[in-house]
Amino acid sequence: MAVTKTITKCTPYVNSSSKVDKWDITMTYKNDSEGDSTYYVSTFSTTVNQTHTNSDGSTTTNFTLKAKGSWTNANLLAICPVSLWDTVFASQVDSVITNPPAESTPDEAFSVPS
């Protein structure tokens, strides 16, 4: 199974200091090649704020403020929940490609027992 993961869209939100303080990121996963019997595609999205306020009032810093031109693909990947998306994609492939549900067919010749 050859899985490719590609960031297909990312939108930076830039504050008054010209630094990114939020990202909307979309990543597309593809299994094998289009036309193959094992081909499968799924898209995942996330919004990542620079900081997150936890339920206890503490703050978690998700990334350092910097200009949008300073971001690399690796930086963007680092703030995505890739391990979660990997697990979900593998489960999707398993349930759709590897172990699809059995298809039922109607038995038109069935007669109601008397």
Side-chain angles (χ1 to χ4, degrees):
M1 170 168 85
V3 176
T4 58
K5 301 180 260 189
T6 307
I7 293 177
T8 50
K9 182 178 179 187
C10 57
T11 305
Y13 291 75
V14 181
N15 64 21
S16 59
S17 300
S18 300
K19 308 287 185 189
V20 176
D21 61 8
K22 182 168 104 173
W23 282 101
D24 285 340
I25 303 171
T26 301
M27 183 180 289
T28 300
Y29 279 58
K30 291 183 183 180
N31 182 58
D32 295 330
S33 299
E34 194 167 355
D36 291 348
S37 62
T38 54
Y39 180 67
Y40 188 77
V41 176
S42 192
T43 302
F44 300 92
S45 297
T46 189
T47 297
V48 183
N49 290 298
Q50 192 262 335
T51 59
H52 172 76
T53 302
N54 301 306
S55 59
D56 65 1
S58 64
T59 301
T60 300
T61 300
N62 294 318
F63 59 84
T64 303
L65 293 171
K66 59 184 177 180
K68 65 182 175 185
S70 299
W71 285 81
T72 65
N73 192 61
N75 296 146
L76 294 167
L77 286 172
I79 63 172
C80 290
V82 175
S83 61
L84 170 64
W85 292 348
D86 288 350
T87 301
V88 171
F89 185 73
S91 176
Q92 290 172 337
V93 169
D94 183 60
S95 66
V96 174
I97 302 294
T98 310
N99 297 301
E103 290 188 35
S104 59
T105 55
D107 181 355
E108 301 292 342
F110 180 78
S111 298
V112 176
S114 39

